[in-house]
Structures are given as structure tokens and as C-alpha cells.
Amino acid sequence: MSTTSVSKGCFVFKPNAKKKRSLTAEDYFTGCSGRAENSKVRFGICQNLWDRIKSETEALQDELNRNVLDSLLDLARKCSSTHRSSDWASKMRASEIPTAALVLGVNVPDHDMTFQSLSELLQQSVTPHVASVQANECATLKHLMKKVLEKLTGAVVDEEDDDEEETEQMSAQLHRSAHCSFSTLCDWYNTKTRKSSSGTPGKKRSSPSKDEPPRPPVVIIFKDLEAFNPKVLQNFILICSLYIERLPLMFIFGIATSPSTVQHMLPHSVSSLLCIELFQSLSCTQHLATVIDKLILTPQFPFKLNAKVMQVLISIFLYHDFSVRNFIKGVQLALLEHFHSRPLSVLCCEKKEAVQNLLQLSHQDLERVRQLPSFKRYVEELDRQEQVSLSSDDGHLKDVCLKLIKKLHKYHKNYYPVLRCLHTLTCSLPRYPLGKQIRELHLICLESNVWESEDYQSALKLLKMLAKDELISLLQKCAEILQAVKSKKMKRAFVQLEELLDKFKQLDTAETVSSVEEIVTSPVRNLQKKTDLFQLQKTLLEMNESRRSKRLSPFEVLRNEALEFIEGLVKNHLFPPESQTLYEVCYYSSSATVRRHLNATPRTSVQAALSSPYYYIQNDKLKAEDGSVSNAAPDICIAYKLHLECGRLINLYDWLEAYSTVVSAAEGKDPDSEDFGKVDEVKHARFIRAVSELEFLGFIKSTKQKTDHVARLTWGGC
């Protein structure tokens, strides 16, 4: 198209009609290096495992909260029936606002899922009038009233109904004063209940109590009670108590700390208006133990975490937020990183699918297999001819890898039942030598041979001190664990354990007692009143030999046999995964990546941004070498770099002079000119702003030692 013209004018170039296609998650995933076919297969496996994690955690969340949610639903149903009762006790109780104090724990990020499930269940089975409010939306009483009314009316008004006039009136009345809005809510509620009761023609009513329409409760959920302004909450409860006879209200308080929070926030004159019932949810540590049991300690889930990554996720949980939801996000992050960065993760799937994917590996993928550290160790143990064959013959390599993959799946199938058996035996021992939670024992087994540790030896000594009934009870639990496993080795172990339990049952108690109480003739009786040193030494040696040769009771013999059987299972199946060839296919080991993404360090990020602004701004003018900062960098970066060159106390005048020199060089002034480095008002203002920003970020502070100096807060730490 030509734009040449005699006269001046505007030329319009119409854009191409084809719209750019938006990239999907698969497009981003397959954009990494590697074959496109392999990337698509890995994305499919990753997506499948991601969906499994999501579905299983949602089902687990519903199952764990079922008891608490069912109790809350029963309370809501009782509230609706109480308002329709005519006895004196119900009337006295109806003068109070029924309140459920739901203690959820300090794992605040997990509360949203619980309240979402609660709201859905209430709307499905009890009442359509449910409003959830948060403290950041309700800073004042007016905002709280408005938010409650908006959520209640918005939840029940149907867009298909011809109630446009009513909706317009309600939207106009929402902006009025608090008492007027609540009276309007009562009228709106009565209108809705009459509509629902008159929807179907009824028969003649025989009692006056049946003349009343059904009155479902109006439930208001305060998600984060501790964050609400106490004065706002008190005034809201007082206003609600004035309308309790016209409006069947019910409160649900979401409490993160302690039930005593209600007493601290509400005086007796306000709390007496509430009929509070306490509900306690499952603790976050128990929830985490269930999640680990379902997602990690199972052979059905092929993706695994090594000890360091597992330790990072558990440390973030225990020392930061107690959030099971964030723990699951960490597992999902590790899953995504594993499949995105490792082409051989195409084998991290079920055994049948892994065999099919293995047969389709290319020569480049097989070269990656040969470079794996575990495979190199495996090859070094073979003879010379086999080593040459594995390094040159791709077909033979696939056959060997096929056996190794099947062996890895068998290892996982036998590892977890034995781990549960060992945890069952040791979780109730004094001082918990192998940990109270199974995740602690799992970490020990991932890092090293557990039977070589001192804690394991002390646990065995404590097991030898158990009574007969306690030991039999623990062995029966182990038998139940082994019985549920479909593995040949575990079935044989189950048969042997059943035989040991039968022997325990056949022990004769009387014979055991008599054998224990056998009188061993002691050489002490043969001692004379007066004896020499040689005779005393001889007697003591005889006593020591008699103690060693003391015959064990049948129970002790059988107990030692049972513990030797358990120790054999441990030594045969609980070795670390690093001992398995091709373990890198299933195990994610980059703990630094997980820590960088999840355990954020703002201080480090701020220092990196100030030291090298190009890392974040991506401007070529900001590129610098040898750790220096370009004179075209932002003022705060220049001031930060200059303050690193000073001591503990920084002279503000010298700092300003150095800053002015760097900025003048950025402006392109001649260094030999008189104006070079001269401080004008603009530079002075920019410097003051940069210093104030550094003080706000915590790098410097004012000092009383010298008025024209500031003190470095990062002295010796940068």
C-alpha cells in the first residue's frame, strides 16, 4: 500500500482480521526444550495426577468436616423449629440469638474451603438465606449492615422473576440508615416466606400453628471473628436482638484462636443476648497426617518427594501457616516442576502406562537414562560385556529398564506396608524414639538405613520390655496392615505373622509363671562368713555365669522371634529410595526450587532488586558488570549501593556529594566543568526521597550519636 500523496493527510492501515489465539496451559508446558511428542505425553500425565490430587483432597476435606458440618446443620434446623414452637422454654430460648462458635484453628488459609462447604450445605438443606462476611469488608457498622443485606437479598432474588419494582426499592433502601435497612429486611423476609408458602394451594388447616408459613433461619457467618472491630460487632448484635421476634436470625462465628475470644470481644450485656454452642473442627496436624497418608504414603500415586523436599514442605507448614491447603499447593508445584523440567518423567505413571512409554523412548531419551547417577552405579556393578551392551544397544537397554521399572514399583508396593507396621509398633513407645507421626519415620527412612540408627536400637530395647497383651495387640494391627496388601512378599509375611500370633495364644500362663519363678541356686549361700579375696572373686564369677546361663521363658523366646521377624522386614524393604535404580524418574529432589517459590524471603528479594535492578526491570541501560550499579539506575539503587561502601555510621553530606557525582555522570555532564557534581534543589530532593525509602525498608535509621549521620542496620550482614 502506497502512502504517497500530494496533499497531507492521515492514512489508516486496518489490522489483520485474524485474532491471536490465546495460549493454553499445554502450550506453555510444551514450550520447554525437548521433543513435542514427549512434552505432550508428560503434560497429559501431569494433568491426570493434578486432577487426582484435587479430587482426592476435596473428598478428604468433605469427609473430615462432615461431623462438624452435620452438627451445624442440626443446630440450624433446631433454630427454625424453635421459632415455630409454642411452649414456654422455646419462647424463652427464642429471645436469644442462636450462635455457633466454630473453632477452626490458626490455619486461616484453609478456612475458606470450610465456610464455602458450610454455605452450600445450608442453602441446599436448611435455608436459602445465608450471608458470609469478612472483617476487611465491614470496617464500620454501616458497611456491615449493607454487606449483610446485599448478600442476603442477592442470594434469593431471582433474575427471571418479575419483581423489578421490588428489587429497585430494595437497592434504594440499602443506602439508608441502619435501623431503616433492618426493618426493610424484615419486610422483605416476610414477603419471601409468604411467596414460598402460597406457591402451592393448601388444604384446610386444623390448628393455628399450621397457619404460620415456614420460617427458615437467616444465617450470618462471620468468617474471621478476631479481625472484626469489637464495637461494630457489639452494635450489630444489639440491633439484631431488637428484631429477633420478627426475623429468625442465626450467627456462626469463625474463630481461629480460642473460644474465649467471644468473651474478650463482647461484654456480658451483649453476650447474654446470644445462645452460644461450641463446635471444634479437626486439628490441622491431624488433617495433614490424613493428607500425607492419602497422597504420599501410597503406591497408587507414582509421583514421590525426596527427603529434602518433604522436609521443606513440612517445615513451612509447622513454622509458618499450619495450612494444609498450602502444603497441597507445594506438592502440586513439585509435581509441575518435575514433569516440566525432566523429560524422563514420562515414566512416572502407572506400571502399564510406564511400560508403554518406555518402549517409545527415543535415542536421546535413552542417552538421558545412561546419564542418571543411579543407572551409572548399577552399570558399574556389572561385568564388562554387559556394560558395553548397555552403552551401545538401545534395544537391550529398554529390556533392562523394563525390569528396573517393575522392580521400582514392587519396591514402593512393599515399602509402605512395612513402614506402617514399624510405625504401629513404635508410635506409642516412651519418648517416641522413631517419632510420633508416621511422616517423621518416613523422613528417617528416606535419608538413611533406619536400622543403623541409635533411635531404632533404643526402640527395639523398649519393645522387648512390652507386656504380653500389649505386644500381641500391636502384632495384630501389623497383621491387619499386611493382610490388605496384594503382594506376594507381604502375603508370605502375613502368613508368618499369623503363625507367630497362634504361638502366642498357645502359651500356657501357668507354665510361664513357673518358669519365671524358678529358683536358681546362688553361690552366695555357700559363702563362708570369713573368706579371702580369691574366694570372693571366684564366687562372683560363678554368679555372673549363672545369670548368663539362665533359661529364657517361652514368652521371651517367642517375643525375640517376633521382633527378629519385624527386623527382617525392615532390613529387606525399608532401605532409602536412592538405592533403587531409576529412582530419579519418580522422585523430585529440587528442594531449593520449592523453597524459593513457597518460602519467600522478602529481604533477599529487595536486596537483589536494589543491587541489580536489571534483574527485574530488564532495561539494557541498567546492565552493569562486577556487581556495580549503572549511573542510570533508580535513585534508591544508587543510594543503596553507595551506603554499602560506608561504615556503621554514614555522613549524610558525604553521601549526598557521592550521589550527586553519580547522577551528574548519568546526565552526561562534562567532569571538568564547574557544574559537575554540584547539588541543586532537584538532586537534593531526590536524595532525601531515596534516603527516606531506605529508612522505610529498614536499611538505615537516624542516630543520636551524631546529628548529621545515620546508622546502618545491615552492618556486617550484607
Side-chain angles (χ1 to χ4, degrees):
M1 181 183 295
S2 175
T3 57
T4 341
S5 177
V6 178
S7 60
K8 296 181 180 179
C10 297
F11 299 91
V12 179
F13 298 93
K14 294 183 179 180
N16 193 358
K18 295 181 180 180
K19 295 182 178 179
K20 292 184 178 180
R21 186 176 65 91
S22 58
L23 297 177
T24 61
E26 183 177 0
D27 296 331
Y28 284 107
F29 190 92
T30 55
C32 64
S33 59
R35 295 170 56 217
E37 303 84 19
N38 194 346
S39 300
K40 291 182 179 179
V41 174
R42 281 185 283 141
F43 177 77
I45 300 172
C46 181
Q47 185 68 42
N48 183 25
L49 294 177
W50 185 288
D51 295 338
R52 282 181 57 184
I53 292 176
K54 185 178 179 181
S55 60
E56 290 185 12
T57 51
E58 288 177 354
L60 185 63
Q61 179 78 19
D62 295 339
E63 182 180 353
L64 294 176
N65 292 331
R66 184 176 301 168
N67 295 331
V68 178
L69 296 181
D70 289 344
S71 302
L72 286 171
L73 292 178
D74 293 339
L75 177 63
R77 294 189 186 99
K78 290 178 183 178
C79 294
S80 61
S81 61
T82 302
H83 286 280
R84 287 179 284 178
S85 301
S86 57
D87 57 325
W88 180 82
S90 299
K91 288 183 178 180
M92 290 297 294
R93 193 179 182 89
S95 62
E96 300 174 344
I97 303 176
T99 304
L102 179 57
V103 182
L104 295 173
V106 295
N107 51 331
V108 178
D110 299 338
H111 294 181
D112 291 337
M113 294 187 295
T114 304
F115 285 121
Q116 183 178 357
S117 301
L118 177 60
S119 300
E120 293 175 356
L121 290 175
L122 285 171
Q123 291 176 353
Q124 291 173 4
S125 58
V126 180
T127 174
H129 314 305
V130 181
S132 300
V133 293
Q134 291 180 330
N136 56 4
E137 303 172 342
C138 311
T140 61
L141 179 61
K142 181 179 179 181
H143 291 150
L144 176 58
M145 297 287 291
K146 181 179 177 182
K147 187 61 66 175
V148 169
L149 292 172
E150 285 179 350
K151 293 198 173 185
L152 284 174
T153 55
V156 295
V157 173
D158 193 356
E159 294 180 357
E160 297 179 359
D161 294 342
D162 296 329
D163 298 337
E164 297 180 358
E165 296 180 1
E166 182 182 352
T167 307
E168 292 176 0
Q169 292 176 1
M170 279 300 304
S171 61
Q173 290 169 350
L174 286 176
H175 300 281
R176 295 182 182 176
S177 59
H179 65 279
C180 295
S181 297
F182 231 103
S183 62
T184 306
L185 178 62
C186 295
D187 298 337
W188 170 85
Y189 177 79
N190 293 330
T191 304
K192 288 296 177 182
T193 52
R194 289 195 197 99
K195 285 184 179 181
S196 60
S197 62
S198 61
T200 57
K203 299 179 181 180
K204 290 185 178 180
R205 299 176 176 86
S206 57
S207 62
S209 61
K210 293 182 179 179
D211 293 338
E212 298 180 2
R215 291 170 59 83
V218 177
V219 182
I220 303 176
I221 302 175
F222 299 86
K223 291 185 177 181
D224 44 354
L225 184 69
E226 290 91 344
F228 275 87
N229 189 341
K231 195 66 176 178
V232 172
L233 194 61
Q234 294 169 20
N235 293 335
F236 182 77
I237 294 174
L238 290 173
I239 294 174
C240 291
S241 64
L242 301 176
Y243 294 89
I244 189 61
E245 295 181 358
R246 300 174 56 189
L247 200 63
L249 289 168
M250 176 185 173
F251 294 158
I252 297 179
F253 291 159
I255 301 174
T257 53
S258 172
S260 60
T261 304
V262 180
Q263 300 176 355
H264 296 156
M265 296 183 66
L266 305 177
H268 178 70
S269 58
V270 179
S271 61
S272 60
L273 301 174
L274 306 176
C275 180
I276 302 177
E277 189 170 346
L278 182 63
F279 296 89
Q280 182 77 43
S281 67
L282 190 69
S283 67
C284 52
T285 52
Q286 294 174 331
H287 191 178
L288 177 67
T290 311
V291 169
I292 291 177
D293 185 72
K294 292 288 183 181
L295 294 181
I296 296 177
L297 303 181
T298 172
Q300 280 74 31
F301 199 75
F303 174 71
K304 308 294 178 185
L305 303 174
N306 78 334
K308 292 183 178 180
V309 177
M310 189 79 176
Q311 188 63 54
V312 168
L313 294 178
I314 293 176
S315 299
I316 293 174
F317 173 85
L318 294 176
Y319 300 112
H320 286 78
D321 52 10
F322 288 99
S323 174
V324 180
R325 185 180 181 184
N326 290 345
F327 178 85
I328 296 171
K329 287 183 178 179
V331 176
Q332 290 177 325
L333 172 66
L335 174 72
L336 186 61
E337 287 285 338
H338 180 70
F339 280 92
H340 185 268
S341 59
R342 297 186 178 180
L344 291 179
S345 60
V346 70
L347 304 177
C348 181
C349 50
E350 301 295 335
K351 186 167 68 173
K352 292 182 179 180
E353 188 178 359
V355 171
Q356 295 177 358
N357 294 337
L358 176 63
L359 298 177
Q360 297 176 0
L361 290 181
S362 64
H363 175 73
Q364 185 179 2
D365 294 330
L366 293 176
E367 286 297 327
R368 292 191 180 100
V369 172
R370 294 185 176 102
Q371 298 301 322
L372 292 177
S374 62
F375 188 78
K376 287 182 178 179
R377 291 196 303 266
Y378 171 77
V379 173
E380 290 174 356
E381 298 176 357
L382 302 175
D383 54 10
R384 181 65 179 172
Q385 184 178 359
E386 184 68 14
Q387 291 180 4
V388 174
S389 179
L390 288 175
S391 61
S392 59
D393 190 355
D394 290 349
H396 182 62
L397 178 60
K398 288 184 179 180
D399 295 337
V400 174
C401 290
L402 188 62
K403 298 178 182 179
L404 295 175
I405 287 293
K406 292 181 179 179
K407 183 181 178 182
L408 183 62
H409 282 271
K410 289 181 181 179
Y411 163 76
H412 289 145
K413 204 169 185 178
N414 298 327
Y415 172 88
Y416 296 109
V418 178
L419 180 73
R420 297 180 194 279
C421 290
L422 183 59
H423 172 69
T424 302
L425 292 170
T426 59
C427 64
S428 57
L429 295 178
R431 296 185 179 181
Y432 310 107
L434 293 180
K436 188 177 181 180
Q437 302 288 341
I438 191 172
R439 64 171 183 265
E440 302 173 40
L441 178 59
H442 179 54
L443 286 175
I444 296 174
C445 296
L446 288 178
E447 291 175 347
S448 60
N449 295 328
V450 63
W451 60 87
E452 297 177 354
S453 62
E454 296 181 359
D455 294 333
Y456 177 81
Q457 301 300 328
S458 61
L460 280 183
K461 292 180 182 179
L462 292 173
L463 286 174
K464 291 181 180 180
M465 300 172 63
L466 291 178
K468 176 183 174 182
D469 296 338
E470 295 177 347
L471 183 60
I472 292 177
S473 176
L474 293 176
L475 292 177
Q476 286 176 347
K477 293 180 181 178
C478 294
E480 294 175 359
I481 295 173
L482 297 177
Q483 187 180 8
V485 183
K486 296 180 181 180
S487 172
K488 294 181 180 180
K489 292 184 178 180
M490 294 298 103
K491 286 181 179 179
R492 288 196 295 266
F494 169 70
V495 173
Q496 296 177 11
L497 190 55
E498 283 291 320
E499 294 175 356
L500 288 172
L501 289 173
D502 292 338
K503 292 180 181 179
F504 273 109
K505 294 177 182 178
Q506 294 172 1
L507 283 177
D508 188 5
T509 308
E511 182 181 355
T512 305
V513 174
S514 62
S515 63
V516 172
E517 294 179 352
E518 273 187 348
I519 301 175
V520 181
T521 56
S522 175
V524 179
R525 296 180 179 178
N526 299 328
L527 282 176
Q528 300 177 359
K529 292 183 179 180
K530 293 183 179 180
T531 181
D532 55 2
L533 183 61
F534 175 77
Q535 184 68 27
L536 178 62
Q537 185 179 7
K538 181 180 178 181
T539 305
L540 292 176
L541 289 174
E542 291 177 357
M543 291 175 60
N544 190 19
E545 290 179 359
S546 64
R547 288 176 181 174
R548 290 181 179 179
S549 62
K550 181 181 177 181
R551 190 175 62 183
L552 296 176
S553 66
F555 167 70
E556 291 174 342
V557 174
L558 199 55
R559 179 195 61 194
N560 293 340
E561 184 180 353
L563 293 180
E564 288 176 0
F565 167 74
I566 296 295
E567 191 170 4
L569 286 179
V570 170
K571 290 183 178 180
N572 291 331
H573 301 291
L574 286 190
F575 33 80
E578 282 79 3
S579 61
Q580 297 295 307
T581 311
L582 301 184
Y583 80 95
E584 297 94 342
V585 168
C586 297
Y587 283 83
Y588 181 72
S589 57
S590 181
S591 58
T593 303
V594 176
R595 189 186 299 275
R596 183 173 68 251
H597 284 290
L598 297 181
N599 191 12
T601 52
R603 186 75 172 187
T604 306
S605 302
V606 170
Q607 289 179 347
L610 295 177
S611 301
S612 56
Y614 174 77
Y615 184 78
Y616 291 98
I617 300 178
Q618 296 294 319
N619 190 342
D620 294 337
K621 295 182 179 180
L622 301 179
K623 283 186 177 181
E625 297 178 356
D626 301 331
S628 61
V629 177
S630 171
N631 50 17
D635 294 335
I636 186 174
C637 298
I638 298 174
Y640 173 79
K641 186 63 179 178
L642 292 173
H643 109 284
L644 292 179
E645 301 173 359
C646 302
R648 172 172 289 181
L649 295 178
I650 306 174
N651 189 316
L652 285 173
Y653 182 78
D654 296 340
W655 194 5
L656 174 60
E657 288 289 334
Y659 168 81
S660 178
T661 303
V662 175
V663 172
S664 299
E667 295 174 353
K669 293 184 179 180
D670 186 8
D672 298 331
S673 63
E674 297 180 357
D675 296 339
F676 185 81
K678 186 177 181 181
V679 181
D680 54 11
E681 295 181 357
V682 177
K683 292 179 183 178
H684 190 258
R686 289 168 58 185
F687 174 75
I688 292 176
R689 180 178 179 179
V691 170
S692 301
E693 290 173 349
L694 289 176
E695 184 177 6
F696 176 76
L697 292 175
F699 289 99
I700 59 173
K701 70 171 185 179
S702 58
T703 177
K704 295 181 179 179
Q705 297 181 9
K706 294 182 179 180
T707 56
D708 58 344
H709 285 64
V710 292
R712 280 185 60 182
L713 296 179
T714 56
W715 172 254
C718 298

